[in-house]
Amino acid sequence: MRTSLRTFTRAQAAKTLLGLVPYMSVDNLVRATRFAEKLTRVERDLAAIRALRRRFEQRHPAIMMAKDVMERLSPNVRRKLITNLFVNAFLIGTDKREFEVPKKEGFKPPMFLVISPTMRCNLRCPGCYAGEYDQHVGLSAELVHRIITEAKAMGTYFITMSGGEVFVRPDMFDVWTEHDDVFFQLYTNGTMIDAEVARKLEKCGNVAPMISLEGHRERTDARRGAGTFDRVMAAMNHLREAGVMFGASFTETRENMDEIASDELLDLLVEKGALVAWYFQYIPIGREPHVELMPTPEQRDWLRRRLIDVREVKPIFIGDFWNDGYYVEGCIAGGREYIHINANGDVEPCVFCHFAVDNIRDKSVKEVLNSDFMKAIRGKQPYRENYLTPCMLIDEPDVLREVVRKCHAYPTHEGAETLLTDLKDAIDEYSRSYRAIADEVWEREYRDKSERRVKSARYV
């Protein structure tokens, strides 16, 4: 009872504080971070709050943008962002995941789930990571409801939806409305978002689309079809006008690296009102996998350095799924911070790791998180001391091979096994080449910071 009352009091304080953010001076925001420190018991969250305070003190452009964005969002979207993401997912949910559930169940639930309710799509992009899944299967709305309900019971209030194209499933609007206390992030090609869809998203308030781009018009249309870029720009206009939070998503390849990290494209996104830009490295899986499309090790390191610079000057939040391993201390898959449930119900360690031992149709979320497969992956994390090489697919591939073999994991679509067979030598060569670069960078730029962070955490 005492714990519940304390959590409730902290939640109410956080709602009030965050609701005032658009109207607070920078000096008051700095003071607010000191109050926020008293609202958390999690060491890494305390470190994040202190880092945020430094950004406020520096008048960092991304922080200033956050104030502006909070003002631009519709009242309903702003309220759901505060309540569902910051309070339910980050505050109340963290208490459950970090303290209550481990004490009762003996394991820590993940921060979020990725659910792909369908693999159907209105586009046919070459190289799509989801392109070889069965396009005719899908998760019923009832099953998606059940998954989310079980996740919330464990403190997981952040759900990402992918596919396929989520908007070919209009019944997902009922899911988003039903789970009014959850924050949903969608990965979408954006071509089905018109003014009416944007208005419906605003009415939900708890859904943030992340729209895929390959670069500017020529490159996007070359892969996704003529006119796609203009349709995406129109979708962003509709979302901005409706006051919906949204962002962009890029797949890094050897061919588009300079373009997707260019000032011109990022400035365009800022102009459109995008809050976030996510970067995902191309992995040779799915439809027509090609190792030669992977960014070279040198390009991957260039993007790491480039996005560090971008974060200092651009008013947009940047997430780099591979190069940000330092900040999350390695791989987050296998249920450490997330799992992927595909449209057939197969439970995969990661969106890009197409192997499973369980199907969610037959098991609960708690059961699939505690499979021998998922526990074996978590037991090996982090795979290396160097968090710049976090991935068991392309950085430490022997880990994936071992857990798949020992746990008898099956490929979740035809051809998924080629990552372990036909492409094995190429992946090993990539891994060796990138580790040579990343290990030198780690020693030069990160080791001391990492050791200081560990020491600091001991004294929080």
Side-chain angles (χ1 to χ4, degrees):
M1 179 66 178
R2 187 178 299 172
T3 300
S4 298
L5 179 60
R6 182 171 60 243
T7 299
F8 174 78
T9 302
R10 290 160 62 227
Q12 292 302 110
K15 286 182 187 179
T16 301
L17 178 64
L18 289 165
L20 294 172
V21 165
Y23 317 107
M24 295 170 72
S25 69
V26 174
D27 289 340
N28 282 336
L29 287 171
V30 170
R31 295 186 185 98
T33 62
R34 299 190 187 282
F35 176 72
E37 287 185 69
K38 301 176 182 179
L39 300 179
T40 184
R41 297 180 286 167
V42 181
E43 292 173 357
R44 66 171 179 270
D45 290 348
L46 287 168
I49 291 169
R50 289 163 186 161
L52 181 64
R53 180 161 60 245
R54 289 194 296 272
R55 295 301 197 185
F56 283 144
E57 291 169 340
Q58 296 163 356
R59 269 58 172 182
H60 189 277
I63 297 300
M64 298 302 100
M65 178 270 300
K67 276 176 55 64
D68 293 341
V69 166
M70 291 286 276
E71 292 175 358
R72 291 203 307 266
L73 298 178
S74 79
N76 187 43
V77 171
R78 182 166 59 242
R79 178 173 60 85
K80 296 290 182 63
L81 176 66
I82 292 170
T83 302
N84 297 11
L85 183 62
F86 292 108
V87 175
N88 292 350
F90 292 163
L91 182 59
I92 295 174
T94 297
D95 278 357
K96 283 187 179 181
R97 296 189 311 273
E98 297 278 350
F99 303 106
E100 295 177 23
V101 175
K103 185 176 180 179
K104 180 180 178 181
E105 302 286 352
F107 78 101
K108 186 179 83 67
M111 169 68 189
F112 66 104
L113 302 183
V114 180
I115 304 172
S116 293
T118 183
M119 288 302 172
R120 288 188 290 127
C121 187
N122 59 324
L123 302 181
R124 296 285 292 177
C125 306
C128 175
Y129 85 91
E132 289 304 312
Y133 286 108
D134 187 340
Q135 307 293 298
H136 303 291
V137 299
L139 305 177
S140 68
E142 291 73 21
L143 180 53
V144 175
H145 278 299
R146 193 257 286 177
I147 293 167
I148 297 172
T149 299
E150 291 179 7
K152 289 193 293 186
M154 298 186 301
T156 302
Y157 289 87
F158 185 18
I159 302 293
T160 293
M161 285 193 173
S162 188
E165 173 50 53
V166 178
F167 286 108
V168 304
R169 289 285 302 269
D171 56 340
M172 289 300 105
F173 277 97
D174 296 330
V175 172
W176 304 330
T177 301
E178 174 73 18
H179 296 280
D180 194 48
D181 52 350
V182 170
F183 189 82
F184 293 92
Q185 177 181 250
L186 313 182
Y187 285 94
T188 171
N189 61 45
T191 60
M192 299 181 71
I193 300 176
D194 56 16
E196 181 182 358
V197 168
R199 285 193 293 270
K200 291 175 68 176
L201 290 171
E202 189 282 328
K203 186 177 180 180
C204 291
N206 58 341
V207 184
M210 302 291 137
I211 305 177
S212 299
L213 285 169
E214 307 301 323
H216 288 289
R217 180 180 288 103
E218 182 178 356
R219 195 175 295 277
T220 296
D221 287 2
R223 182 170 184 237
R224 296 178 174 267
T228 299
F229 182 84
D230 288 341
R231 293 165 72 185
V232 167
M233 294 298 105
M236 290 184 176
N237 291 341
H238 294 312
L239 293 168
R240 185 185 66 247
E241 290 163 7
V244 176
M245 176 180 169
F246 70 95
S249 171
F250 301 108
T251 298
E252 314 149 18
T253 72
R254 195 167 301 188
E255 299 171 350
N256 73 349
M257 187 72 80
D258 291 348
E259 191 167 329
I260 60 175
S262 67
D263 288 333
E264 293 78 12
L265 190 56
L266 288 167
D267 289 344
L268 176 63
L269 293 178
V270 170
E271 178 187 333
K272 289 292 180 181
L275 176 62
V276 184
W278 284 105
Y279 289 80
F280 297 93
Q281 176 162 326
Y282 172 79
I283 303 295
I285 52 176
R287 183 180 295 133
E288 303 172 5
H290 295 290
V291 173
E292 59 271 19
L293 278 178
M294 294 177 69
T296 66
E298 293 78 11
Q299 285 179 313
R300 179 171 167 184
D301 186 62
W302 174 86
L303 185 68
R304 176 191 64 83
R305 290 181 280 111
R306 167 63 181 162
L307 294 183
I308 288 173
D309 293 340
V310 166
R311 285 169 169 147
E312 292 301 317
V313 296
K314 300 291 183 187
I316 188 168
F317 290 100
I318 301 290
D320 186 345
F321 199 72
W322 268 262
N323 286 332
D324 282 350
Y326 168 75
Y327 303 104
V328 295
E329 300 181 347
C331 175
I332 63 172
R336 180 186 162 219
E337 293 296 350
Y338 95 108
I339 54 173
H340 176 224
I341 301 172
N342 71 26
N344 192 45
D346 297 311
V347 184
E348 301 168 337
C350 169
V351 170
F352 303 95
C353 182
H354 298 176
F355 296 90
V357 298
D358 286 321
N359 192 288
I360 199 65
R361 301 179 196 276
D362 309 316
K363 303 263 183 91
S364 68
V365 173
K366 183 173 74 172
E367 287 174 316
V368 299
L369 284 168
N370 285 291
S371 71
D372 289 342
F373 186 40
M374 299 300 180
K375 287 196 290 188
I377 292 170
R378 294 198 296 270
K380 292 181 176 295
Q381 293 167 337
Y383 312 126
R384 303 186 76 228
E385 178 188 36
N386 182 349
Y387 297 148
L388 298 178
T389 56
C391 182
M392 66 177 175
L393 277 69
I394 60 173
D395 295 328
E396 197 65 20
D398 284 342
V399 171
L400 176 62
R401 295 162 192 159
E402 179 183 347
V403 295
V404 166
R405 177 177 55 81
K406 284 188 174 181
C407 300
H408 307 289
Y410 57 85
T412 53
H413 61 77
E414 184 178 353
E417 70 282 355
T418 60
L419 194 66
L420 309 184
T421 56
D422 299 5
L423 302 180
K424 178 179 182 296
D425 290 345
I427 294 296
D428 283 343
E429 176 56 33
Y430 171 89
S431 174
R432 284 191 295 269
S433 299
Y434 179 66
R435 284 202 304 255
I437 294 172
D439 286 351
E440 180 182 342
V441 172
W442 179 261
E443 292 297 328
R444 185 177 66 247
E445 301 179 26
Y446 290 88
R447 178 180 289 280
D448 288 347
K449 289 193 295 184
S450 181
E451 291 175 352
R452 286 197 300 271
R453 183 167 65 178
V454 171
K455 290 178 181 178
S456 175
R458 292 174 183 157
Y459 297 101
V460 171

